[in-house]
Amino acid sequence: SVMTDASGAFGFCGVPAGTGFRVRASTDTSSSGVIDLAPKPDRVRWRDLTVGPLLAQDSNRVGTIAGIVLRGAGQPVGDARVVMDEVPEVRTDAAGKFRLVNVPGGTRQFQVLAIGTDAVSRVVDVAVDRTSDVVVNVEPLTTLAAARVTGTAFIRRMAEGLAERKKSSFGVFLDSSDFVGQGTARTAFEGIAGMAVRPYGRNYNLVLKESAVRECLANVFIDGERAYDQERLWTLNPGDIKAVEVYKRGSTVPPEFQVLRSTCGSVAVWTRRTFP
């Protein structure tokens, strides 16, 4: 961490070029939100931060974010999730519009998650007693054709496999109760010991901490299928997660979650799709 000078200026030196990181400004009585800076090759990065009063000390000094979510040539996106760490999640209406109310003042970040689109983050300077207007454009994902799997035999086989792996001492196992109250998949996985979430482009990377100084990109499986670029992981609603298996080292990964030539561990996520 660093301290600002008399003019409010600050700087971090020695940050490896091309890495993503997160910044937050705070005093004893005010704070900004946690802001993600995506990886870029630039040698110098600039990010202004505005702080607002802490809600614990002044819950009346809040603002509003009002916006619209559009896709492609201006098509409104209805029922998209708009999530923010500081306030409850909202969804867009049929016209793509949303309102986040009682937002603490200062620089804040929110994320838009919609089925079939890339997750998009936006940073807004929220003024107390004012409404900040934003337009969020989302891009469609390139996806494979959907496959539907039904039948109690499949569900039973997946459940038996999960139960059998729980008998080993190699993994860490979580269930839906561990994700209650989490607004986004990012905040849900940030709270799990032994792993971290790192900004990567417009999304994030889930990494496993092999030691105090070494971490690696986790191999992610969702409902038994490998998620090669992790994008689908960040669109999951934490309320739909039924179970998670974490194998922190490659040597502890069971055969069904091993990846050829990878020495990193694996994370297996099970949702309502498999365990309704």
Side-chain angles (χ1 to χ4, degrees), residues 4 18 58 97 106 123 131 148 216 220 233 262 264:
T4 57
D58 193 346
K97 296 181 179 180
V123 176
T131 298
R148 181 180 296 274
C216 60
V220 176
L233 178 65
S262 174
C264 194

Side-chain angles (χ1 to χ4, degrees), residues 204-234:
Y204 306 93
N205 273 338
L206 184 66
V207 300
L208 296 174
K209 298 179 179 179
E210 296 183 330
S211 68
V213 296
R214 173 175 162 76
E215 58 186 36
C216 60
L217 182 65
N219 298 304
V220 176
F221 292 78
I222 301 177
D223 292 321
E225 302 173 359
R226 188 179 175 195
Y228 286 91
D229 55 12
Q230 294 195 6
E231 283 188 350
R232 186 183 163 207
L233 178 65
W234 308 117

Side-chain angles (χ1 to χ4, degrees), residues 35-234:
I35 308 301
D36 292 319
L37 294 179
K40 287 186 178 180
D42 306 337
R43 296 295 301 276
V44 178
R45 304 283 299 279
W46 187 285
R47 174 75 257 181
D48 289 332
L49 296 169
T50 303
V51 295
L54 298 175
L55 287 184
Q57 299 180 8
D58 193 346
S59 59
N60 294 319
R61 302 196 65 190
V62 295
T64 299
I65 298 175
I68 184 171
V69 179
L70 302 173
R71 172 171 41 205
Q75 177 186 2
V77 180
D79 202 36
R81 299 171 57 212
V82 183
V83 292
M84 187 180 228
D85 291 341
E86 295 87 350
V87 297
E89 171 184 330
V90 300
R91 290 183 179 262
T92 58
D93 61 18
K97 296 181 179 180
F98 67 90
R99 287 178 69 85
L100 292 165
V101 299
N102 297 325
V103 179
T107 304
R108 304 289 165 180
Q109 178 175 287
F110 67 91
Q111 190 175 37
V112 175
L113 305 170
I115 294 175
T117 68
D118 276 322
V120 174
S121 294
R122 286 289 181 269
V123 176
V124 180
D125 288 329
V126 178
V128 173
D129 295 328
R130 295 186 180 181
T131 298
S132 301
D133 297 313
V134 295
V135 176
V136 181
N137 293 289
V138 296
E139 298 294 333
L141 284 172
T142 302
T143 59
L144 300 176
R148 181 180 296 274
V149 180
T150 59
T152 56
F154 171 80
I155 296 173
R156 184 172 61 251
R157 187 166 65 253
M158 294 299 102
E160 289 173 349
L162 176 58
E164 190 64 28
R165 291 188 294 276
K166 278 186 176 181
K167 295 178 182 179
S168 73
S169 58
F170 295 122
V172 175
F173 297 86
L174 308 169
D175 60 30
S176 56
S177 64
D178 294 295
F179 299 93
V180 172
Q182 298 292 341
T184 67
R186 186 196 80 194
T187 57
F189 284 98
E190 280 179 335
I192 300 176
M195 65 174 59
V197 178
R198 306 298 187 207
Y200 181 74
R202 290 184 294 176
N203 272 311
Y204 306 93
N205 273 338
L206 184 66
V207 300
L208 296 174
K209 298 179 179 179
E210 296 183 330
S211 68
V213 296
R214 173 175 162 76
E215 58 186 36
C216 60
L217 182 65
N219 298 304
V220 176
F221 292 78
I222 301 177
D223 292 321
E225 302 173 359
R226 188 179 175 195
Y228 286 91
D229 55 12
Q230 294 195 6
E231 283 188 350
R232 186 183 163 207
L233 178 65
W234 308 117

